[in-house]
Amino acid sequence: MSFSASIITLFPELFPGPLGASVIGRGMADGRWSLETTQLRDFATDRHRTVDDTPSGGGAGMVLKPDILAKAIDAVSPEGDARPRLLMSPRGTPLTQAKVRELAAGPGAVIVCGRFEGIDQRVIEARQLEEISIGDYVLAGGEVAAMVLLEAVVRLLPGVLGAAESHADESFENGLLEYPQYTRPQLFEGREIPEVLTSGDHGKVEKWRRAESERLTRARRPDLLT
Ligand code: SAH
């Protein structure tokens, strides 16, 4: 059974975008994951195909209407669908590699992309949307955030990365940032590859990498160590 992603968006033409390229795109062509997009506007009922309205209580911008979005969610993810329903949102739980791993182990995801000021709170509650943020900054819409999430998830699916591109000691997989990487030439603009890496002593290489990982994590992301 392959990972099934369904996206609800006002901009389906943005997909697959980067998700169609390289290993992620090949994974889709190989049937390891699938992507379906749904145009939220198709669920509007008036002749202007309205999906948003002004915020209750006043203020700038527009809010996505709960009734239209609920209909779209119900069409994409009928009762019994085991996939988690996610809402990309700067207010959400920050996306981590642990969450990415959890999603990759599941059947897929239904992902709602917000636009404008966001979406009506009642549909978040009524459809149990899990809010996920990709970082502490504000995007113009949830589409790029959904792509970030899916790209991180799909590369973990079995068979998507070849053995040659394994992710066992990548950043975050062991709670640390990755050690520095080098490749030929041996000498680049006066800089040598650290000698230990060309010594052929695997024990020493492992120790050096571990020490570098710890040093970088302490310097850049001490929060990961606590
Ligand atoms: N007014 C909202 C921001 C709306 S941005 C607020 O202050 O919280 C419009 C849409 O972009 C959001 O509904 C969400 O789907 C998406 N978005 C913006 N920033 C995001 C982030 N950091 N992570 C995930 N989605 C984000």
PDB file of all heavy atoms in Angstrom, residues 110-148:
ATOM      1  N   VAL A 110      -4.332  14.015   4.487  1.00  0.00           N
ATOM      2  CA  VAL A 110      -5.198  14.993   3.817  1.00  0.00           C
ATOM      3  C   VAL A 110      -4.708  16.354   4.305  1.00  0.00           C
ATOM      4  O   VAL A 110      -4.629  16.584   5.511  1.00  0.00           O
ATOM      5  CB  VAL A 110      -6.677  14.779   4.213  1.00  0.00           C
ATOM      6  CG1 VAL A 110      -7.554  15.853   3.593  1.00  0.00           C
ATOM      7  CG2 VAL A 110      -7.127  13.380   3.805  1.00  0.00           C
ATOM      8  N   ILE A 111      -4.333  17.226   3.387  1.00  0.00           N
ATOM      9  CA  ILE A 111      -3.703  18.489   3.785  1.00  0.00           C
ATOM     10  C   ILE A 111      -4.505  19.679   3.277  1.00  0.00           C
ATOM     11  O   ILE A 111      -4.737  19.810   2.073  1.00  0.00           O
ATOM     12  CB  ILE A 111      -2.259  18.580   3.247  1.00  0.00           C
ATOM     13  CG1 ILE A 111      -1.461  17.333   3.655  1.00  0.00           C
ATOM     14  CG2 ILE A 111      -1.583  19.837   3.765  1.00  0.00           C
ATOM     15  CD1 ILE A 111      -0.038  17.316   3.131  1.00  0.00           C
ATOM     16  N   VAL A 112      -4.925  20.516   4.205  1.00  0.00           N
ATOM     17  CA  VAL A 112      -5.654  21.737   3.850  1.00  0.00           C
ATOM     18  C   VAL A 112      -4.658  22.890   3.808  1.00  0.00           C
ATOM     19  O   VAL A 112      -3.890  23.103   4.755  1.00  0.00           O
ATOM     20  CB  VAL A 112      -6.765  22.031   4.882  1.00  0.00           C
ATOM     21  CG1 VAL A 112      -7.462  23.348   4.545  1.00  0.00           C
ATOM     22  CG2 VAL A 112      -7.769  20.875   4.939  1.00  0.00           C
ATOM     23  N   CYS A 113      -4.669  23.621   2.685  1.00  0.00           N
ATOM     24  CA  CYS A 113      -3.805  24.789   2.540  1.00  0.00           C
ATOM     25  C   CYS A 113      -4.634  26.043   2.764  1.00  0.00           C
ATOM     26  O   CYS A 113      -5.602  26.283   2.042  1.00  0.00           O
ATOM     27  CB  CYS A 113      -3.208  24.839   1.136  1.00  0.00           C
ATOM     28  SG  CYS A 113      -2.256  23.373   0.717  1.00  0.00           S
ATOM     29  N   GLY A 114      -4.266  26.834   3.756  1.00  0.00           N
ATOM     30  CA  GLY A 114      -4.958  28.095   3.998  1.00  0.00           C
ATOM     31  C   GLY A 114      -4.513  29.159   3.012  1.00  0.00           C
ATOM     32  O   GLY A 114      -3.496  29.016   2.324  1.00  0.00           O
ATOM     33  N   ARG A 115      -5.303  30.221   2.953  1.00  0.00           N
ATOM     34  CA  ARG A 115      -4.956  31.431   2.194  1.00  0.00           C
ATOM     35  C   ARG A 115      -5.552  32.602   2.942  1.00  0.00           C
ATOM     36  O   ARG A 115      -6.331  32.419   3.880  1.00  0.00           O
ATOM     37  CB  ARG A 115      -5.518  31.379   0.768  1.00  0.00           C
ATOM     38  CG  ARG A 115      -4.652  30.596  -0.200  1.00  0.00           C
ATOM     39  CD  ARG A 115      -3.541  31.458  -0.788  1.00  0.00           C
ATOM     40  NE  ARG A 115      -2.433  30.640  -1.290  1.00  0.00           N
ATOM     41  CZ  ARG A 115      -1.346  31.157  -1.868  1.00  0.00           C
ATOM     42  NH1 ARG A 115      -1.225  32.456  -2.044  1.00  0.00           N
ATOM     43  NH2 ARG A 115      -0.365  30.384  -2.257  1.00  0.00           N
ATOM     44  N   PHE A 116      -5.256  33.800   2.533  1.00  0.00           N
ATOM     45  CA  PHE A 116      -5.790  35.015   3.164  1.00  0.00           C
ATOM     46  C   PHE A 116      -5.424  35.029   4.652  1.00  0.00           C
ATOM     47  O   PHE A 116      -4.312  34.676   5.008  1.00  0.00           O
ATOM     48  CB  PHE A 116      -7.305  35.137   2.942  1.00  0.00           C
ATOM     49  CG  PHE A 116      -7.723  34.760   1.552  1.00  0.00           C
ATOM     50  CD1 PHE A 116      -8.645  33.755   1.313  1.00  0.00           C
ATOM     51  CD2 PHE A 116      -7.155  35.403   0.446  1.00  0.00           C
ATOM     52  CE1 PHE A 116      -9.016  33.409   0.021  1.00  0.00           C
ATOM     53  CE2 PHE A 116      -7.523  35.058  -0.852  1.00  0.00           C
ATOM     54  CZ  PHE A 116      -8.454  34.052  -1.062  1.00  0.00           C
ATOM     55  N   GLU A 117      -6.374  35.412   5.518  1.00  0.00           N
ATOM     56  CA  GLU A 117      -6.062  35.488   6.947  1.00  0.00           C
ATOM     57  C   GLU A 117      -6.093  34.118   7.624  1.00  0.00           C
ATOM     58  O   GLU A 117      -5.684  33.975   8.764  1.00  0.00           O
ATOM     59  CB  GLU A 117      -7.042  36.430   7.657  1.00  0.00           C
ATOM     60  CG  GLU A 117      -6.736  37.901   7.449  1.00  0.00           C
ATOM     61  CD  GLU A 117      -5.261  38.220   7.632  1.00  0.00           C
ATOM     62  OE1 GLU A 117      -4.727  37.924   8.713  1.00  0.00           O
ATOM     63  OE2 GLU A 117      -4.650  38.746   6.685  1.00  0.00           O
ATOM     64  N   GLY A 118      -6.608  33.120   6.927  1.00  0.00           N
ATOM     65  CA  GLY A 118      -6.696  31.801   7.543  1.00  0.00           C
ATOM     66  C   GLY A 118      -8.078  31.225   7.359  1.00  0.00           C
ATOM     67  O   GLY A 118      -8.809  31.627   6.449  1.00  0.00           O
ATOM     68  N   ILE A 119      -8.450  30.269   8.225  1.00  0.00           N
ATOM     69  CA  ILE A 119      -9.736  29.611   8.057  1.00  0.00           C
ATOM     70  C   ILE A 119     -10.558  29.706   9.344  1.00  0.00           C
ATOM     71  O   ILE A 119     -10.012  29.886  10.429  1.00  0.00           O
ATOM     72  CB  ILE A 119      -9.576  28.149   7.583  1.00  0.00           C
ATOM     73  CG1 ILE A 119      -9.208  27.217   8.715  1.00  0.00           C
ATOM     74  CG2 ILE A 119      -8.524  28.041   6.474  1.00  0.00           C
ATOM     75  CD1 ILE A 119      -9.182  25.785   8.241  1.00  0.00           C
ATOM     76  N   ASP A 120     -11.854  29.612   9.200  1.00  0.00           N
ATOM     77  CA  ASP A 120     -12.789  29.703  10.324  1.00  0.00           C
ATOM     78  C   ASP A 120     -12.469  28.614  11.360  1.00  0.00           C
ATOM     79  O   ASP A 120     -12.320  27.438  11.013  1.00  0.00           O
ATOM     80  CB  ASP A 120     -14.220  29.532   9.768  1.00  0.00           C
ATOM     81  CG  ASP A 120     -15.295  29.777  10.818  1.00  0.00           C
ATOM     82  OD1 ASP A 120     -15.318  29.040  11.838  1.00  0.00           O
ATOM     83  OD2 ASP A 120     -16.123  30.683  10.612  1.00  0.00           O
ATOM     84  N   GLN A 121     -12.366  29.033  12.622  1.00  0.00           N
ATOM     85  CA  GLN A 121     -11.983  28.134  13.705  1.00  0.00           C
ATOM     86  C   GLN A 121     -12.914  26.919  13.813  1.00  0.00           C
ATOM     87  O   GLN A 121     -12.484  25.817  14.167  1.00  0.00           O
ATOM     88  CB  GLN A 121     -11.977  28.904  15.040  1.00  0.00           C
ATOM     89  CG  GLN A 121     -11.598  28.078  16.261  1.00  0.00           C
ATOM     90  CD  GLN A 121     -10.181  27.526  16.190  1.00  0.00           C
ATOM     91  OE1 GLN A 121      -9.309  28.116  15.541  1.00  0.00           O
ATOM     92  NE2 GLN A 121      -9.946  26.394  16.834  1.00  0.00           N
ATOM     93  N   ARG A 122     -14.191  27.098  13.493  1.00  0.00           N
ATOM     94  CA  ARG A 122     -15.152  26.015  13.725  1.00  0.00           C
ATOM     95  C   ARG A 122     -14.908  24.803  12.848  1.00  0.00           C
ATOM     96  O   ARG A 122     -15.174  23.666  13.252  1.00  0.00           O
ATOM     97  CB  ARG A 122     -16.579  26.542  13.543  1.00  0.00           C
ATOM     98  CG  ARG A 122     -16.956  27.548  14.626  1.00  0.00           C
ATOM     99  CD  ARG A 122     -18.219  28.273  14.262  1.00  0.00           C
ATOM    100  NE  ARG A 122     -18.041  29.073  13.050  1.00  0.00           N
ATOM    101  CZ  ARG A 122     -19.021  29.734  12.446  1.00  0.00           C
ATOM    102  NH1 ARG A 122     -20.254  29.672  12.917  1.00  0.00           N
ATOM    103  NH2 ARG A 122     -18.775  30.443  11.363  1.00  0.00           N
ATOM    104  N   VAL A 123     -14.370  25.014  11.644  1.00  0.00           N
ATOM    105  CA  VAL A 123     -14.118  23.849  10.795  1.00  0.00           C
ATOM    106  C   VAL A 123     -12.860  23.110  11.253  1.00  0.00           C
ATOM    107  O   VAL A 123     -12.746  21.891  11.116  1.00  0.00           O
ATOM    108  CB  VAL A 123     -14.053  24.245   9.293  1.00  0.00           C
ATOM    109  CG1 VAL A 123     -12.829  25.047   8.965  1.00  0.00           C
ATOM    110  CG2 VAL A 123     -14.128  23.009   8.400  1.00  0.00           C
ATOM    111  N   ILE A 124     -11.935  23.852  11.875  1.00  0.00           N
ATOM    112  CA  ILE A 124     -10.740  23.203  12.452  1.00  0.00           C
ATOM    113  C   ILE A 124     -11.193  22.216  13.521  1.00  0.00           C
ATOM    114  O   ILE A 124     -10.721  21.070  13.581  1.00  0.00           O
ATOM    115  CB  ILE A 124      -9.787  24.254  13.065  1.00  0.00           C
ATOM    116  CG1 ILE A 124      -9.327  25.257  11.999  1.00  0.00           C
ATOM    117  CG2 ILE A 124      -8.606  23.578  13.748  1.00  0.00           C
ATOM    118  CD1 ILE A 124      -8.411  26.347  12.521  1.00  0.00           C
ATOM    119  N   GLU A 125     -12.151  22.661  14.351  1.00  0.00           N
ATOM    120  CA  GLU A 125     -12.648  21.809  15.436  1.00  0.00           C
ATOM    121  C   GLU A 125     -13.554  20.700  14.905  1.00  0.00           C
ATOM    122  O   GLU A 125     -13.397  19.528  15.244  1.00  0.00           O
ATOM    123  CB  GLU A 125     -13.405  22.671  16.457  1.00  0.00           C
ATOM    124  CG  GLU A 125     -12.481  23.644  17.166  1.00  0.00           C
ATOM    125  CD  GLU A 125     -13.234  24.773  17.877  1.00  0.00           C
ATOM    126  OE1 GLU A 125     -14.471  24.682  18.018  1.00  0.00           O
ATOM    127  OE2 GLU A 125     -12.561  25.750  18.284  1.00  0.00           O
ATOM    128  N   ALA A 126     -14.503  21.077  14.034  1.00  0.00           N
ATOM    129  CA  ALA A 126     -15.512  20.110  13.590  1.00  0.00           C
ATOM    130  C   ALA A 126     -14.905  18.980  12.750  1.00  0.00           C
ATOM    131  O   ALA A 126     -15.414  17.865  12.757  1.00  0.00           O
ATOM    132  CB  ALA A 126     -16.601  20.823  12.795  1.00  0.00           C
ATOM    133  N   ARG A 127     -13.820  19.257  12.030  1.00  0.00           N
ATOM    134  CA  ARG A 127     -13.184  18.220  11.207  1.00  0.00           C
ATOM    135  C   ARG A 127     -11.860  17.766  11.807  1.00  0.00           C
ATOM    136  O   ARG A 127     -11.080  17.082  11.172  1.00  0.00           O
ATOM    137  CB  ARG A 127     -12.978  18.706   9.769  1.00  0.00           C
ATOM    138  CG  ARG A 127     -14.280  18.897   8.995  1.00  0.00           C
ATOM    139  CD  ARG A 127     -15.067  17.593   8.843  1.00  0.00           C
ATOM    140  NE  ARG A 127     -16.334  17.790   8.132  1.00  0.00           N
ATOM    141  CZ  ARG A 127     -17.453  18.232   8.724  1.00  0.00           C
ATOM    142  NH1 ARG A 127     -17.479  18.495  10.015  1.00  0.00           N
ATOM    143  NH2 ARG A 127     -18.558  18.391   8.025  1.00  0.00           N
ATOM    144  N   GLN A 128     -11.621  18.144  13.053  1.00  0.00           N
ATOM    145  CA  GLN A 128     -10.419  17.734  13.784  1.00  0.00           C
ATOM    146  C   GLN A 128      -9.146  17.897  12.957  1.00  0.00           C
ATOM    147  O   GLN A 128      -8.403  16.947  12.753  1.00  0.00           O
ATOM    148  CB  GLN A 128     -10.552  16.277  14.249  1.00  0.00           C
ATOM    149  CG  GLN A 128     -11.570  16.124  15.346  1.00  0.00           C
ATOM    150  CD  GLN A 128     -12.378  14.840  15.192  1.00  0.00           C
ATOM    151  OE1 GLN A 128     -11.988  13.931  14.471  1.00  0.00           O
ATOM    152  NE2 GLN A 128     -13.488  14.778  15.858  1.00  0.00           N
ATOM    153  N   LEU A 129      -8.939  19.113  12.475  1.00  0.00           N
ATOM    154  CA  LEU A 129      -7.731  19.381  11.710  1.00  0.00           C
ATOM    155  C   LEU A 129      -6.561  19.573  12.670  1.00  0.00           C
ATOM    156  O   LEU A 129      -6.670  20.287  13.661  1.00  0.00           O
ATOM    157  CB  LEU A 129      -7.913  20.634  10.841  1.00  0.00           C
ATOM    158  CG  LEU A 129      -9.089  20.614   9.867  1.00  0.00           C
ATOM    159  CD1 LEU A 129      -9.097  21.881   9.014  1.00  0.00           C
ATOM    160  CD2 LEU A 129      -9.039  19.376   8.966  1.00  0.00           C
ATOM    161  N   GLU A 130      -5.458  18.905  12.357  1.00  0.00           N
ATOM    162  CA  GLU A 130      -4.241  19.040  13.158  1.00  0.00           C
ATOM    163  C   GLU A 130      -3.395  20.134  12.527  1.00  0.00           C
ATOM    164  O   GLU A 130      -2.949  19.996  11.391  1.00  0.00           O
ATOM    165  CB  GLU A 130      -3.503  17.692  13.171  1.00  0.00           C
ATOM    166  CG  GLU A 130      -2.218  17.711  13.948  1.00  0.00           C
ATOM    167  CD  GLU A 130      -1.498  16.354  13.894  1.00  0.00           C
ATOM    168  OE1 GLU A 130      -2.077  15.363  13.401  1.00  0.00           O
ATOM    169  OE2 GLU A 130      -0.347  16.324  14.343  1.00  0.00           O
ATOM    170  N   GLU A 131      -3.183  21.223  13.265  1.00  0.00           N
ATOM    171  CA  GLU A 131      -2.456  22.359  12.692  1.00  0.00           C
ATOM    172  C   GLU A 131      -0.953  22.116  12.777  1.00  0.00           C
ATOM    173  O   GLU A 131      -0.425  21.804  13.839  1.00  0.00           O
ATOM    174  CB  GLU A 131      -2.826  23.646  13.440  1.00  0.00           C
ATOM    175  CG  GLU A 131      -4.275  24.052  13.213  1.00  0.00           C
ATOM    176  CD  GLU A 131      -4.621  25.354  13.918  1.00  0.00           C
ATOM    177  OE1 GLU A 131      -4.169  26.420  13.470  1.00  0.00           O
ATOM    178  OE2 GLU A 131      -5.345  25.279  14.920  1.00  0.00           O
ATOM    179  N   ILE A 132      -0.287  22.271  11.638  1.00  0.00           N
ATOM    180  CA  ILE A 132       1.170  22.065  11.577  1.00  0.00           C
ATOM    181  C   ILE A 132       1.821  23.282  10.942  1.00  0.00           C
ATOM    182  O   ILE A 132       1.392  23.762   9.891  1.00  0.00           O
ATOM    183  CB  ILE A 132       1.508  20.798  10.768  1.00  0.00           C
ATOM    184  CG1 ILE A 132       0.964  19.576  11.511  1.00  0.00           C
ATOM    185  CG2 ILE A 132       3.009  20.680  10.542  1.00  0.00           C
ATOM    186  CD1 ILE A 132       1.425  18.270  10.970  1.00  0.00           C
ATOM    187  N   SER A 133       2.884  23.755  11.595  1.00  0.00           N
ATOM    188  CA  SER A 133       3.650  24.909  11.106  1.00  0.00           C
ATOM    189  C   SER A 133       4.996  24.437  10.579  1.00  0.00           C
ATOM    190  O   SER A 133       5.600  23.519  11.142  1.00  0.00           O
ATOM    191  CB  SER A 133       3.881  25.893  12.259  1.00  0.00           C
ATOM    192  OG  SER A 133       4.862  26.843  11.897  1.00  0.00           O
ATOM    193  N   ILE A 134       5.472  25.061   9.514  1.00  0.00           N
ATOM    194  CA  ILE A 134       6.828  24.713   9.059  1.00  0.00           C
ATOM    195  C   ILE A 134       7.869  25.696   9.592  1.00  0.00           C
ATOM    196  O   ILE A 134       9.051  25.582   9.266  1.00  0.00           O
ATOM    197  CB  ILE A 134       6.938  24.573   7.526  1.00  0.00           C
ATOM    198  CG1 ILE A 134       6.681  25.901   6.819  1.00  0.00           C
ATOM    199  CG2 ILE A 134       6.015  23.477   7.012  1.00  0.00           C
ATOM    200  CD1 ILE A 134       7.319  25.937   5.433  1.00  0.00           C
ATOM    201  N   GLY A 135       7.477  26.646  10.430  1.00  0.00           N
ATOM    202  CA  GLY A 135       8.476  27.532  11.014  1.00  0.00           C
ATOM    203  C   GLY A 135       7.867  28.847  11.449  1.00  0.00           C
ATOM    204  O   GLY A 135       6.731  29.160  11.101  1.00  0.00           O
ATOM    205  N   ASP A 136       8.626  29.594  12.199  1.00  0.00           N
ATOM    206  CA  ASP A 136       8.124  30.841  12.790  1.00  0.00           C
ATOM    207  C   ASP A 136       8.273  32.016  11.832  1.00  0.00           C
ATOM    208  O   ASP A 136       9.103  32.907  12.052  1.00  0.00           O
ATOM    209  CB  ASP A 136       8.853  31.119  14.110  1.00  0.00           C
ATOM    210  CG  ASP A 136       8.488  30.111  15.178  1.00  0.00           C
ATOM    211  OD1 ASP A 136       7.467  29.405  15.013  1.00  0.00           O
ATOM    212  OD2 ASP A 136       9.225  30.015  16.176  1.00  0.00           O
ATOM    213  N   TYR A 137       7.510  31.969  10.778  1.00  0.00           N
ATOM    214  CA  TYR A 137       7.427  33.057   9.800  1.00  0.00           C
ATOM    215  C   TYR A 137       6.089  32.857   9.097  1.00  0.00           C
ATOM    216  O   TYR A 137       5.489  31.791   9.217  1.00  0.00           O
ATOM    217  CB  TYR A 137       8.585  33.003   8.789  1.00  0.00           C
ATOM    218  CG  TYR A 137       8.951  31.599   8.416  1.00  0.00           C
ATOM    219  CD1 TYR A 137       8.176  30.885   7.494  1.00  0.00           C
ATOM    220  CD2 TYR A 137      10.018  30.941   9.018  1.00  0.00           C
ATOM    221  CE1 TYR A 137       8.468  29.585   7.179  1.00  0.00           C
ATOM    222  CE2 TYR A 137      10.314  29.626   8.711  1.00  0.00           C
ATOM    223  CZ  TYR A 137       9.546  28.955   7.789  1.00  0.00           C
ATOM    224  OH  TYR A 137       9.829  27.647   7.483  1.00  0.00           O
ATOM    225  N   VAL A 138       5.627  33.865   8.380  1.00  0.00           N
ATOM    226  CA  VAL A 138       4.298  33.774   7.772  1.00  0.00           C
ATOM    227  C   VAL A 138       4.404  33.749   6.252  1.00  0.00           C
ATOM    228  O   VAL A 138       4.987  34.648   5.647  1.00  0.00           O
ATOM    229  CB  VAL A 138       3.395  34.940   8.227  1.00  0.00           C
ATOM    230  CG1 VAL A 138       2.017  34.828   7.594  1.00  0.00           C
ATOM    231  CG2 VAL A 138       3.264  34.949   9.749  1.00  0.00           C
ATOM    232  N   LEU A 139       3.867  32.706   5.659  1.00  0.00           N
ATOM    233  CA  LEU A 139       3.803  32.574   4.201  1.00  0.00           C
ATOM    234  C   LEU A 139       2.491  33.178   3.707  1.00  0.00           C
ATOM    235  O   LEU A 139       1.610  33.504   4.508  1.00  0.00           O
ATOM    236  CB  LEU A 139       3.860  31.088   3.810  1.00  0.00           C
ATOM    237  CG  LEU A 139       5.063  30.305   4.340  1.00  0.00           C
ATOM    238  CD1 LEU A 139       4.844  28.809   4.124  1.00  0.00           C
ATOM    239  CD2 LEU A 139       6.336  30.775   3.661  1.00  0.00           C
ATOM    240  N   ALA A 140       2.346  33.274   2.390  1.00  0.00           N
ATOM    241  CA  ALA A 140       1.104  33.810   1.826  1.00  0.00           C
ATOM    242  C   ALA A 140       0.030  32.733   1.705  1.00  0.00           C
ATOM    243  O   ALA A 140      -1.151  33.036   1.554  1.00  0.00           O
ATOM    244  CB  ALA A 140       1.370  34.424   0.458  1.00  0.00           C
ATOM    245  N   GLY A 141       0.443  31.456   1.761  1.00  0.00           N
ATOM    246  CA  GLY A 141      -0.513  30.369   1.639  1.00  0.00           C
ATOM    247  C   GLY A 141       0.105  29.064   2.096  1.00  0.00           C
ATOM    248  O   GLY A 141       1.327  28.971   2.272  1.00  0.00           O
ATOM    249  N   GLY A 142      -0.732  28.048   2.283  1.00  0.00           N
ATOM    250  CA  GLY A 142      -0.262  26.776   2.810  1.00  0.00           C
ATOM    251  C   GLY A 142       0.367  25.845   1.784  1.00  0.00           C
ATOM    252  O   GLY A 142       0.891  24.783   2.150  1.00  0.00           O
ATOM    253  N   GLU A 143       0.340  26.212   0.497  1.00  0.00           N
ATOM    254  CA  GLU A 143       0.785  25.277  -0.538  1.00  0.00           C
ATOM    255  C   GLU A 143       2.266  24.918  -0.424  1.00  0.00           C
ATOM    256  O   GLU A 143       2.640  23.747  -0.467  1.00  0.00           O
ATOM    257  CB  GLU A 143       0.483  25.832  -1.938  1.00  0.00           C
ATOM    258  CG  GLU A 143      -1.008  25.831  -2.304  1.00  0.00           C
ATOM    259  CD  GLU A 143      -1.808  26.948  -1.639  1.00  0.00           C
ATOM    260  OE1 GLU A 143      -1.194  27.869  -1.044  1.00  0.00           O
ATOM    261  OE2 GLU A 143      -3.052  26.911  -1.705  1.00  0.00           O
ATOM    262  N   VAL A 144       3.105  25.945  -0.289  1.00  0.00           N
ATOM    263  CA  VAL A 144       4.544  25.661  -0.174  1.00  0.00           C
ATOM    264  C   VAL A 144       4.831  24.886   1.112  1.00  0.00           C
ATOM    265  O   VAL A 144       5.653  23.962   1.130  1.00  0.00           O
ATOM    266  CB  VAL A 144       5.366  26.967  -0.257  1.00  0.00           C
ATOM    267  CG1 VAL A 144       6.814  26.733   0.143  1.00  0.00           C
ATOM    268  CG2 VAL A 144       5.299  27.547  -1.663  1.00  0.00           C
ATOM    269  N   ALA A 145       4.109  25.219   2.167  1.00  0.00           N
ATOM    270  CA  ALA A 145       4.271  24.490   3.434  1.00  0.00           C
ATOM    271  C   ALA A 145       3.895  23.017   3.260  1.00  0.00           C
ATOM    272  O   ALA A 145       4.578  22.128   3.765  1.00  0.00           O
ATOM    273  CB  ALA A 145       3.426  25.137   4.518  1.00  0.00           C
ATOM    274  N   ALA A 146       2.811  22.754   2.519  1.00  0.00           N
ATOM    275  CA  ALA A 146       2.398  21.363   2.266  1.00  0.00           C
ATOM    276  C   ALA A 146       3.462  20.633   1.455  1.00  0.00           C
ATOM    277  O   ALA A 146       3.741  19.450   1.693  1.00  0.00           O
ATOM    278  CB  ALA A 146       1.061  21.336   1.526  1.00  0.00           C
ATOM    279  N   MET A 147       4.072  21.335   0.512  1.00  0.00           N
ATOM    280  CA  MET A 147       5.137  20.717  -0.281  1.00  0.00           C
ATOM    281  C   MET A 147       6.343  20.383   0.583  1.00  0.00           C
ATOM    282  O   MET A 147       6.962  19.328   0.429  1.00  0.00           O
ATOM    283  CB  MET A 147       5.574  21.662  -1.404  1.00  0.00           C
ATOM    284  CG  MET A 147       4.530  21.802  -2.500  1.00  0.00           C
ATOM    285  SD  MET A 147       5.073  23.052  -3.680  1.00  0.00           S
ATOM    286  CE  MET A 147       3.534  23.321  -4.559  1.00  0.00           C
ATOM    287  N   VAL A 148       6.671  21.277   1.504  1.00  0.00           N
ATOM    288  CA  VAL A 148       7.795  21.026   2.417  1.00  0.00           C
ATOM    289  C   VAL A 148       7.514  19.756   3.218  1.00  0.00           C
ATOM    290  O   VAL A 148       8.349  18.855   3.314  1.00  0.00           O
ATOM    291  CB  VAL A 148       8.002  22.233   3.362  1.00  0.00           C
ATOM    292  CG1 VAL A 148       8.922  21.879   4.517  1.00  0.00           C
ATOM    293  CG2 VAL A 148       8.549  23.428   2.580  1.00  0.00           C
TER     294      VAL A 148
END
